[in-house]
Amino acid sequence: MPSKASSAPRVLYWFRTDLRVTDSPALTRALALKPSTFVPVWCWDPSYIYGHRVGLNRWRFLLESMTGLSDALTELNPQQKLHVVRGRPEQLLPILCRQWGITHVVWEKDSNAYAKERDRKVKEVLAKEGVEVVHEGGRHLYDPDEIIKGNKGKPTMTLHQWQKLAEKLGEDSDWKFHWDKVDFNAEIRTGVDTCFDKLCGPNHDFAVPTMSEMGYAEATTTVRGGTAEAHKCLDNFLADTLHVATFSKPHTAPTSLEPSTTLLSPYMKFGCIGVREIWWGSKKVIEEWKKKGSKGGKETKEPENMFGQLQFRDMYACAEAAGAHFERIRGNGVCRYIDWKLQNQYDEDGNEILPRPKEDEVDEERFLAWKEGRTGFPWIDACMRQLKIQGWIHHLARHSVACFITRGQCYISWERGMEVFDEYLIDWDPASNPGNWMWLSCSAFFSQYFRVYGLESWPLRTDKSGALVRKYCPELKDFPDKYIYAPHKAPVDVQRKASCIIGEQYPFPMLDEHKEKDRCIARIKNAYHLGFHGDSTEVLDGNGNQSLDGFVKKAKVAPASKGKKKA
């Protein structure tokens, strides 16, 4: 074992969601220590492997990104690679530090709740080993903890609020691990799981794991991971100066067969590319465009442009870092309480019951039909099938499917929708995913619950031919444009000609769009009037629904006032 007595630091760099060698303040700080030994390590943590919902597409993207990072390290130094060790970091890192004589462990700071608790444990065990911990921000434009401090410990709930706060900051071989909790990914594991049989991998070479080692089939997405792919994607975006200057995310097409946005989000999620690379790269391109006379269009402003989108990402990170339970309703102070169906369930001690007990059959079937893309509404079904196959859908498609399952028609808890996105999305983020679900369900950040996406009218705005539906719902590919978003309205002879009888080859709509929309709006209106949040006493006591029922009954019998019923 090497001695720690040497004056030059021996550094272990712990890679997490920063799978790159560019735009990395933490990596820069590690190298500034001028180490005599530098060991890049990834901990293949079973808490993530089994304890988080992850689909095949995100698994492959992660493995490719890890391999890409290892290749990048080798390119810089032929003697170097990413060393993957398999087990909990709080157990493995002290062992590695002892074996390798490590004096410093460095990592990129992460502010989400899971990472904070994990890092706290690691700091405690490393302190006992006499190892110095160095961590540096870099995942976001600004450190969420510093933003929150400037906001007196409160979450950021609007982009304007975040912008004002940001302005003030300035620009061993016998190892065998056994998982004894709920395996959230068991249903997609079709083979034998040998991932944790050996600490250093099956060949004792610290190699990146494979899909087959985890017992998984091959992924289906065409989106490939890695820092090289990330920079190729960014370079393609920045090459079109007019597009960068006039980029407006809300005005991109959700019905496009090819991504009409940048597709940078998966690479940002795993840190294959740095946020500052995107920010300053875009700044430089726009400045050059202006110098040449701003030809071809009008510059898009925040929040619709690229800078606004990056700021929204930071806003969610600050909101998540400011309090507990951002990923659920119960105990979440920023989340309005609405009596959704199929909410998380808890025991008498307030612990979540896993797996979640099944509830009303109709609600359960509606949720499953939505997840599997067989609701009878082609726009929703095409989006959900694309999501499962590609691990990505346009942000306005995400808006549509999220609105439908929550406040639009199904009145099912955003927690269920968030779980599906947890599994399917390559670009899943611990702050943005729940944040967006709260926004789109009007549980936080956004309150115009009466604005609902039409299941037929909305996709017609950008594609009357239904190309996305024809690709992902091939049973409908021969329907005339007139019926592509509502095939149940087509006469039987049209259905026969299209070789698809509704109710046989493709389902009837599983609900009445407009009736359910009105019902949802009325119920959410009542919940808004009651004004409970996830940390309200009534919600924590499990009496939120009863209180809401009592409020509705009281409102119905309330005396008239100025010709109108009291709300």
Side-chain angles (χ1 to χ4, degrees):
M1 179 179 70
S3 171
K4 294 184 181 181
S6 173
S7 59
R10 298 176 64 86
V11 173
L12 184 154
Y13 189 89
W14 180 19
F15 280 100
R16 295 108 67 87
T17 50
D18 55 331
L19 297 174
R20 63 188 185 277
V21 294
T22 57
D23 183 26
S24 178
L27 184 57
T28 299
R29 188 167 175 185
L31 296 175
L33 294 171
K34 300 186 183 305
S36 62
T37 298
F38 178 85
V39 188
V41 168
W42 173 284
C43 289
W44 194 248
D45 187 355
S47 297
Y48 180 76
I49 308 309
Y50 303 113
H52 286 70
R53 288 178 176 84
V54 183
L56 300 177
N57 292 324
R58 192 154 88 243
W59 280 128
R60 192 185 74 180
F61 191 95
L62 171 58
L63 299 178
E64 290 176 339
S65 298
M66 293 167 66
T67 301
L69 170 62
S70 190
D71 291 344
L73 291 167
T74 303
E75 185 175 344
L76 292 170
N77 180 353
Q79 305 299 316
Q80 196 58 276
K81 61 177 281 187
L82 180 66
H83 296 76
V84 181
V85 291
R86 309 180 186 210
R88 294 183 186 276
E90 65 268 27
Q91 295 174 333
L92 293 186
L93 291 179
I95 296 173
L96 299 180
C97 288
R98 288 195 298 270
Q99 293 293 322
W100 297 341
I102 297 298
T103 61
H104 295 70
V105 174
V106 185
W107 65 71
E108 181 182 79
K109 181 181 178 182
D110 201 335
S111 297
N112 74 75
Y114 165 76
K116 281 182 175 179
E117 179 59 20
R118 175 198 61 198
D119 294 352
R120 181 191 64 78
K121 294 177 182 177
V122 171
K123 289 178 183 177
E124 287 182 356
V125 295
L126 291 181
K128 294 177 182 178
E129 297 290 331
V131 175
E132 183 177 341
V133 169
V134 179
H135 56 78
E136 184 74 30
R139 179 162 173 75
H140 298 95
L141 294 169
Y142 295 91
D143 186 339
D145 290 333
E146 292 300 313
I147 294 286
I148 294 164
K149 188 186 299 182
N151 204 33
K152 300 179 179 179
K154 298 178 181 179
T156 49
M157 298 301 292
T158 67
L159 184 60
H160 179 72
Q161 182 184 38
W162 179 90
Q163 290 171 330
K164 287 295 183 182
L165 292 164
E167 285 177 3
K168 298 177 182 179
L169 297 180
E171 198 106 2
D172 147 73
S173 61
D174 293 326
W175 174 265
K176 177 73 175 178
F177 185 87
H178 175 67
W179 181 257
D180 57 3
K181 300 178 183 179
V182 176
D183 180 359
F184 286 115
N185 301 306
E187 65 180 37
I188 64 170
R189 187 173 288 106
T190 56
V192 179
D193 178 9
T194 62
C195 190
F196 291 96
D197 286 1
K198 299 290 182 180
L199 184 151
C200 305
N203 298 318
H204 306 280
D205 58 355
F206 299 96
V208 174
T210 65
M211 295 287 279
S212 61
E213 283 176 41
M214 294 188 286
Y216 294 136
E218 285 304 311
T220 55
T221 182
T222 58
V223 182
R224 309 309 297 240
T227 188
E229 289 291 331
H231 285 93
K232 185 188 301 182
C233 187
L234 179 60
D235 290 346
N236 288 338
F237 174 62
L238 297 180
D240 188 340
T241 57
L242 178 60
H243 180 55
V244 175
T246 60
F247 176 78
S248 176
K249 194 170 182 180
H251 296 114
T252 53
T255 51
S256 174
L257 290 179
E258 296 299 325
S260 58
T261 54
T262 65
L263 205 59
L264 287 167
S265 56
Y267 302 104
M268 294 183 67
K269 182 270 176 294
F270 285 110
C272 300
I273 200 164
V275 63
R276 283 157 296 278
E277 293 183 88
I278 302 172
W279 180 280
W280 292 109
S282 298
K283 285 277 190 184
K284 182 179 179 180
V285 165
I286 293 174
E287 287 173 1
E288 292 175 352
W289 174 73
K290 288 180 177 178
K291 289 178 182 178
K292 295 179 180 179
S294 304
K295 296 179 180 179
K298 183 179 180 181
E299 182 183 1
T300 307
K301 301 298 182 181
E302 299 167 5
E304 296 183 355
N305 63 9
M306 174 57 75
F307 309 112
Q309 299 308 306
L310 295 176
Q311 291 170 347
F312 266 124
R313 176 176 177 265
D314 270 40
M315 182 198 78
Y316 280 138
C318 294
E320 191 266 350
H325 308 307
F326 193 67
E327 80 292 348
R328 70 189 202 190
I329 297 171
R330 179 185 171 91
N332 184 349
V334 307
C335 180
R336 296 182 181 88
Y337 182 78
I338 299 171
D339 60 332
W340 306 113
K341 303 293 186 179
L342 310 188
Q343 294 185 39
N344 289 356
Q345 297 186 42
Y346 301 86
D347 61 22
E348 293 179 355
D349 297 322
N351 299 311
E352 186 178 355
I353 302 172
L354 296 171
R356 178 182 60 84
K358 299 298 183 182
E359 298 183 54
D360 179 81
E361 289 185 8
V362 173
D363 294 324
E364 294 285 0
E365 171 54 28
R366 285 182 175 181
F367 170 61
L368 192 60
W370 171 80
K371 179 180 180 180
E372 296 176 350
R374 51 177 180 82
T375 66
F377 295 102
W379 169 237
I380 298 299
D381 293 342
C383 292
M384 293 305 295
R385 295 183 194 186
Q386 181 188 25
L387 174 61
K388 184 175 182 178
I389 294 170
Q390 291 292 346
W392 180 92
I393 51 175
H394 189 278
H395 82 282
L396 293 177
R398 302 182 196 201
H399 287 207
S400 294
V401 299
C403 179
F404 175 78
I405 197 64
T406 58
R407 63 183 175 85
Q409 278 79 30
C410 297
Y411 210 71
I412 289 173
S413 176
W414 61 266
E415 297 164 318
R416 302 285 71 77
M418 181 194 71
E419 286 178 355
V420 173
F421 275 32
D422 282 357
E423 177 182 344
Y424 288 166
L425 280 178
I426 298 175
D427 63 3
W428 170 88
D429 179 89
S432 295
N433 192 34
N436 277 321
W437 274 95
M438 281 186 276
W439 181 305
L440 295 170
S441 65
C442 289
S443 296
F445 306 107
F446 181 72
S447 59
Q448 297 180 38
Y449 56 82
F450 47 84
R451 294 178 59 182
V452 175
Y453 292 90
L455 305 181
E456 182 180 356
S457 59
W458 173 250
L460 277 170
R461 295 172 59 178
T462 53
D463 182 19
K464 291 179 170 55
S465 69
L468 197 77
V469 170
R470 297 182 194 279
K471 178 175 181 178
Y472 289 101
C473 300
E475 62 269 45
L476 301 175
K477 64 183 177 60
D478 293 325
F479 270 83
D481 292 355
K482 180 179 179 180
Y483 300 110
I484 193 62
Y485 293 117
H488 64 286
K489 296 180 180 179
V492 175
D493 62 325
V494 173
Q495 296 180 32
R496 289 198 185 100
K497 188 175 181 179
S499 301
C500 178
I501 303 299
I502 304 305
E504 296 180 12
Q505 285 79 28
Y506 183 79
F508 281 107
M510 67 180 189
L511 48 75
D512 184 313
E513 173 187 356
H514 302 290
K515 179 180 178 181
E516 294 300 328
K517 169 188 170 182
D518 292 342
R519 182 176 69 96
C520 288
I521 290 175
R523 295 177 71 170
I524 295 176
K525 182 178 181 180
N526 288 330
Y528 266 52
H529 278 301
L530 190 61
F532 287 168
H533 282 72
D535 60 352
S536 296
T537 301
E538 293 84 352
V539 177
L540 296 176
D541 289 344
N543 297 316
N545 283 9
Q546 293 92 315
S547 299
L548 184 54
D549 289 343
F551 169 82
V552 172
K553 290 177 181 178
K554 185 177 180 181
K556 286 181 177 179
V557 299
S561 174
K562 296 183 180 180
K564 297 181 179 180
K565 288 185 178 180
K566 290 184 178 179

